[in-house]
Amino acid sequence: MKSKASSCTMSTLGKICSGLGVTLAEFFSHPYFKLRIVGPLLVDN
């Protein structure tokens, strides 16, 4: 909670997904990961 890290490992992400009851594949198939950054905006591909 107080860490200054801005990223996490796949291992940590896997543990979070497990706790939430989703697979890593389900997590990364979310529409958010299909967005791209254009200037200050996130837009649909």
Side-chain angles (χ1 to χ4, degrees):
M1 296 288 294
K2 294 182 181 182
S3 174
K4 294 182 181 185
S6 61
S7 63
C8 70
T9 64
M10 288 300 289
S11 175
T12 300
L13 185 56
K15 291 174 186 177
I16 292 169
C17 286
S18 178
L20 294 173
V22 298
T23 66
L24 282 169
E26 290 170 323
F27 178 81
F28 284 115
S29 70
H30 188 277
Y32 176 81
F33 293 104
K34 293 176 177 66
L35 299 176
R36 60 189 172 97
I37 299 172
V38 176
L41 305 173
L42 285 174
V43 297
D44 221 352
N45 280 330

